Amino acid sequence: MRRSRAWAELLRLPALFSVPGDALAGVAATGSAPGSRTLLAIGSSLCLYEAGMALNDWADRDIDAVERPHRPLPSGRVRPATALAAACALTGAGLVLAARAGRPALAVAAPLAATVWAYDLGLKHTPAGPVAMGAARGLDLLLGAAATTGQARPALPSAALLGTHTLAVTTVSRQEARGGSPLAPLAALATTALLTRQVTRRSTPPTTGRRPETGTAHRPTDRRWPARHPGQDSAALLTTALGAAYAATTARPYFHAALNPSPPLTQRAVGAGIRATIPLQATLAARSRGTATSLLIAALAPLGARFAKKVSVT
């Protein structure tokens, strides 16, 4: 049991619930439905995510020995060589699964894996660190689109929004061990507000009108009152509700960390930011009219919160 607990902490198992939504949101952005290749993309994402977790602790084992001696590697519960071997094996498994989903998926998974390794081994403690982590999340979303449809371009806007959220959370996480300035959580709070407004904004459907017949004047549709149908209204309501859930997940922890940027409150803010990834993914799917997909993603949130009470996500 102690060994299983150590690996659960090393791999941050509760954070795994934030991974499937990347691929599912990417599929929804293309207007397609998930399929067997989507499952391969999710499997690839899970492997690459866990590879990053193991590699992160291996690369930071000396720092953790001072700042977090309770972590699995500095406490001796997991050997560094074993963690590195796990990172290599999981990376290989992730690339194999992506290859089975097709060349477009592998073309996204390869730079995703490279970004994960570059972040953990060199970029993490540089100004480029949060950007690299945001890029990794964005690529993970594109992986789902590429694996399912063979095209990633339609999912680029959703990838940019998800990447921006991840960048903000990563910026806050850089001071979770020692505490620091309130600027990072304040910036993350502002970013959350902007993202919420962006993802819940209603897009006005193109105006339509019948072609003018001979002798009949064309009467354009009033742009102030665009034609809508119940499906659009329900999708808009779902998008708004999920967007509100996203904002509510992070607002209070970010605000508390801004008032008092101590390590405990900062770590709580980072944990909230990671958990908020799920309602954000669900919102992105809902705004793409992926109602069933968004509800499936949203259902992962309570599961992640339940396991987070047993194992920390940071």
Side-chain angles (χ1 to χ4, degrees):
M1 290 296 294
R2 290 184 60 188
R3 186 174 180 82
S4 299
R5 173 81 182 188
W7 278 97
E9 292 179 14
L10 176 70
L11 299 176
R12 320 294 204 282
L13 288 187
L16 275 183
F17 291 96
S18 72
V19 178
D22 288 347
L24 292 173
V27 175
T30 66
S32 303
S36 58
R37 293 190 176 186
T38 310
L39 294 178
L40 289 172
I42 292 174
S44 175
S45 297
L46 291 171
C47 288
L48 294 177
Y49 188 88
E50 291 293 46
M53 292 294 102
L55 185 63
N56 175 79
D57 278 24
W58 179 84
D60 284 354
R61 61 192 184 279
D62 293 334
I63 298 176
D64 286 344
V66 176
E67 298 180 349
R68 298 179 178 182
H70 62 279
R71 294 293 301 155
L73 267 63
S75 65
R77 289 177 292 156
V78 177
R79 293 191 306 167
T82 304
L84 180 59
C88 294
L90 287 166
T91 300
L95 293 175
V96 169
L97 289 172
R100 292 194 61 183
R103 290 185 178 180
L106 182 59
V108 177
L112 171 57
T115 302
V116 170
W117 279 73
Y119 172 81
D120 285 332
L121 297 182
L123 298 178
K124 181 178 181 180
H125 302 291
T126 71
V131 177
M133 185 58 73
R137 269 291 183 180
L139 286 169
D140 201 33
L141 187 146
L142 296 179
L143 177 58
T148 307
T149 67
Q151 296 184 352
R153 182 172 296 181
L156 284 173
S158 292
L161 293 171
L162 183 60
T164 301
H165 165 75
T166 305
L167 186 154
V169 177
T170 307
T171 301
V172 177
S173 72
R174 291 162 71 91
Q175 58 187 40
E176 63 178 329
R178 301 179 180 177
S181 169
L183 294 180
L186 280 176
L189 185 61
T191 300
T192 299
L194 291 174
L195 287 176
T196 302
R197 181 176 182 275
Q198 183 66 29
V199 298
T200 57
R201 178 185 298 173
R202 288 191 180 188
S203 57
T204 303
T207 56
T208 58
R210 294 190 304 171
R211 290 184 178 182
E213 301 176 1
T214 305
T216 304
H218 175 60
R219 184 178 181 180
T221 303
D222 190 342
R223 293 179 180 270
R224 294 173 300 174
W225 303 97
R228 302 184 65 85
H229 55 77
Q232 289 177 324
D233 289 333
S234 60
L237 289 174
L238 180 60
T239 301
T240 301
L242 291 171
Y246 162 64
T249 303
T250 59
R252 180 177 295 181
Y254 281 162
F255 184 68
H256 287 171
L259 291 178
N260 179 15
S262 61
L265 291 180
T266 303
Q267 291 171 15
R268 189 176 301 174
V270 174
I274 295 173
R275 292 193 301 273
T277 302
I278 298 177
L280 176 58
Q281 295 161 340
T283 308
L284 292 172
R287 75 195 291 261
S288 300
R289 303 293 188 264
T291 302
T293 301
S294 66
L295 293 176
L296 176 61
I297 297 172
L300 297 173
L303 294 174
R306 179 179 178 183
F307 280 91
K309 295 179 181 178
K310 300 179 180 180
V311 179
S312 175
V313 297
T314 62

